[in-house]
Amino acid sequence: MLYENNQIRDLQIAYIGGGSRGWAWGLMTDLAMDPQLSGTVRLYDTNAEAAKQNEIIGNRLSAREDAAGKWNYTTCLTLEQALTGCDFVIISILPGTFDDMAVDVHLPERLGIWQSVGDTAGPGGMMRALRTIPMFVTIAQAMRDYSPDAWVINYTNPMSLCIKTLYHIFPEIKAFGCCHEVFGTQKLLKELCERECGISDIDWHDIDVNVMGINHFTWFDRASYRGIDLFPVFEHYTDHHFEEGFTGDNPQHLDSHFLCAHRVKMDLFRKYGLIASAGDRHLAEFMPSTEYLKDPDTVKSWRFALTPVSWRKEELQQRLARSRRLVSGEEEIQLEHTGEEGVMLIKALCGLGRLISNVNLPNTDGQIPNLPRTAVVETNALFSRDHISPVAAGDLPAPVQTLTLPHVENHERILKAAILKDRALVVQAFEQDPLVKGKCCSHADIQALVNDMIDRTLSDTWGR
């Protein structure tokens, strides 16, 4: 990495999961639009052919005249080759297949357990973690051996357990997790502020918030825009529009499997006095199943959606088709910012400015004093040259702490279970999960579910 004339040259980035048909293209776009950075992106994926396709796509994009940032994309066949001498490592992997995810999301339905996402909390999130943790053990060991000083940016879910695993294996690692869910709530507050206060063209980055919680179960206890306290604004809107929620200017967007009317947020605000700062689909999975995920009709009444894995499989085919068009040159990537902050964080860590953003890190500095120091928490942090300073977020209110602790405790159980291949610990974690507890399932039923899920997705490593 070379610094000259306020620019960084020859930056070395390793992308683990370099065959991604989504995140990788977004990174390519953001890098191409930034004139202050250039260098090499090393693409590593267990599917080397997919990484090779992204090599072609990335180099085609970088060669365009409208690409301000110039990058060389190259495929690596081993972690050692990808990591040795790199400055940054980006991790964006799919742990297993969509067939595995179908087990995660849909098999628990036989006990009446419904999941809207299935990648972080609930049975699906825990089972996904059991597949993900061994991969992150390997990555952490490779980081220790080949690039111990590189910064690691993780986008993979379940975020908290991915970061927890990296630090468990390599305590000196410089790793953090990025999630855009908080951005979505900042954008919601921007729109509400514009409507309620008569202000136009607010930049959502100017919505100042204090972030506290764990990934996908984050909260704001303060939010403002240029001196305007946004809590009364949110409360006023909630009081007058709770039944219909908020859908912006296009109510038809509720046909999406991913968007929502924010009614879960509004309900949680009424109950706990904080603004929950993740999408309703994620928030619902951290709560007892009697609240928002009792059954599909309950989900529909709260105006969010269950995301079937069948839809994800169909969408993958569309992305594969797009990949072929991008490789052939039939289609070109449009240069539009993704809204992600990964490149901005890289610049700050390189010394090109300072930035405050939400980040997932171990709670070792006591960012949230009333959560365990061993927890991975999500708060704001200040990014500057080669340093991240977590912001002290303060205590979670007692009722929210009570909601959060079972998940933090389950992170410990699942990490240990993955390393020891201990089915009994997985059963314990399932029994303590709010989605499962709310169904009052018998120990035998839960044990049978755990065994079936492990046998269908992990039998090659756990045995039967």
Side-chain angles (χ1 to χ4, degrees):
M1 181 172 66
L2 302 173
Y3 180 89
E4 54 184 37
N5 299 323
N6 204 35
Q7 295 179 327
I8 300 294
R9 299 289 177 242
D10 197 30
L11 190 67
Q12 300 293 309
I13 299 175
Y15 195 115
I16 300 176
S20 158
R21 283 96 176 184
W23 282 105
W25 299 340
L27 175 69
M28 292 173 183
T29 302
D30 287 343
L31 287 174
M33 296 184 70
D34 197 302
Q36 288 187 286
L37 300 177
S38 63
T40 298
V41 178
R42 310 167 184 183
L43 303 168
Y44 172 77
D45 198 287
T46 53
N47 183 345
E49 180 57 34
K52 188 67 178 179
Q53 291 173 351
N54 274 346
E55 175 186 319
I56 295 169
I57 294 168
N59 286 329
R60 185 188 300 277
L61 173 61
S62 188
R64 284 167 39 180
E65 290 185 4
D66 57 347
K70 298 300 182 181
W71 293 85
N72 173 47
Y73 291 84
T74 182
T75 300
C76 297
L77 299 180
T78 65
L79 274 175
E80 179 180 2
Q81 183 184 6
L83 295 176
T84 302
C86 69
D87 302 299
F88 290 88
V89 179
I90 296 173
I91 309 175
S92 176
I93 63 175
L94 174 66
T97 67
F98 282 137
D99 286 337
D100 294 326
M101 193 173 185
V103 173
D104 298 345
V105 174
H106 298 303
L107 201 62
E109 291 170 5
R110 76 188 194 193
L111 298 183
I113 300 167
W114 297 90
Q115 299 171 100
S116 37
V117 187
D119 72 357
T120 299
M126 289 185 281
M127 199 58 55
R128 182 185 179 102
L130 295 177
R131 296 194 301 274
T132 309
I133 288 168
M135 300 178 186
F136 273 70
V137 168
T138 299
I139 293 169
Q141 291 169 337
M143 289 293 308
R144 180 190 60 204
D145 294 342
Y146 305 126
S147 52
D149 296 323
W151 282 99
V152 181
I153 307 173
N154 177 60
Y155 288 103
T156 304
N157 289 324
M159 177 67 71
S160 298
L161 272 163
C162 291
I163 299 300
K164 193 174 185 68
T165 303
L166 293 175
Y167 279 92
H168 178 76
I169 298 300
F170 180 23
E172 293 78 27
I173 199 169
K174 300 191 299 187
F176 58 95
C178 287
C179 179
H180 58 209
E181 291 290 319
V182 165
F183 304 160
T185 307
Q186 287 176 286
K187 293 171 184 176
L188 169 64
L189 291 177
K190 155 203 150 58
E191 293 193 54
L192 293 183
C193 186
E194 288 177 340
R195 288 177 180 235
E196 298 292 298
C197 302
I199 303 172
S200 59
D201 299 324
I202 295 175
D203 185 339
W204 68 265
H205 294 90
D206 294 331
I207 303 297
D208 184 32
V209 295
N210 186 51
V211 182
M212 57 195 331
I214 59 176
N215 184 241
H216 291 157
F217 200 49
T218 42
W219 306 77
F220 299 157
D221 67 344
R222 299 191 301 275
S224 63
Y225 171 71
R226 297 186 177 177
I228 300 172
D229 184 354
L230 295 180
F231 268 61
V233 174
F234 190 83
E235 182 177 22
H236 182 267
Y237 190 90
T238 297
D239 287 344
H240 289 81
H241 302 280
F242 179 71
E243 292 304 320
E244 72 267 24
F246 180 82
T247 59
D249 295 325
N250 181 19
Q252 298 303 315
H253 82 294
L254 287 178
D255 294 334
S256 166
H257 288 299
F258 290 95
L259 301 177
C260 65
H262 306 288
R263 293 194 70 232
V264 172
K265 283 186 191 63
M266 294 178 182
D267 192 53
L268 292 173
F269 178 77
R270 287 181 163 184
K271 290 176 177 176
Y272 302 106
L274 302 187
I275 299 174
S277 52
D280 284 8
R281 294 163 59 252
H282 281 298
L283 294 169
E285 291 189 328
F286 287 83
M287 299 294 293
S289 55
T290 52
E291 297 281 344
Y292 310 110
L293 284 166
K294 181 179 179 181
D295 52 42
D297 286 339
T298 300
V299 172
K300 186 176 180 180
S301 72
W302 286 101
R303 305 193 73 191
F304 66 101
L306 303 172
T307 305
V309 177
S310 59
W311 178 88
R312 295 182 186 272
K313 291 180 178 181
E314 293 171 4
E315 199 265 344
L316 173 61
Q317 295 307 310
Q318 296 173 12
R319 286 188 281 125
L320 289 171
R322 187 180 183 220
S323 179
R324 291 190 289 269
R325 295 195 301 272
L326 291 171
V327 168
S328 68
E330 180 184 348
E331 180 180 340
E332 295 287 351
I333 293 177
Q334 292 187 351
L335 286 183
E336 296 177 352
H337 285 293
T338 64
E340 300 294 335
E341 292 191 344
V343 171
M344 296 167 63
L345 299 177
I346 288 173
K347 291 174 66 174
L349 290 169
C350 287
L352 298 177
R354 289 153 52 109
L355 179 69
I356 293 177
S357 187
N358 60 295
V359 67
N360 291 270
L361 285 168
N363 197 33
T364 48
D365 287 346
Q367 301 97 289
I368 303 179
N370 62 346
L371 289 184
R373 292 297 180 100
T374 56
V376 171
V377 299
E378 186 162 351
T379 68
N380 284 328
L382 172 64
F383 289 73
S384 57
R385 191 188 68 81
D386 203 33
H387 192 72
I388 300 176
S389 300
V391 171
D395 284 334
L396 288 171
V400 176
Q401 180 204 32
T402 299
L403 295 173
T404 305
L405 281 174
H407 300 285
V408 170
E409 292 164 356
N410 264 354
H411 293 161
E412 299 286 345
R413 291 187 184 98
I414 292 296
L415 176 59
K416 187 175 180 180
I419 292 173
L420 298 178
K421 298 178 183 176
D422 188 329
R423 293 185 184 226
L425 276 175
V426 181
V427 173
Q428 289 179 27
F430 271 48
E431 289 179 330
Q432 295 305 311
D433 182 83
L435 286 184
V436 180
K437 289 182 74 173
K439 294 299 178 180
C440 299
C441 304
S442 71
H443 175 79
D445 283 343
I446 294 171
Q447 187 174 50
L449 176 63
V450 166
N451 284 331
D452 283 353
M453 295 180 79
I454 290 176
D455 290 344
R456 296 190 191 195
T457 63
L458 287 162
S459 60
D460 56 334
T461 55
W462 283 54
R464 289 183 180 270

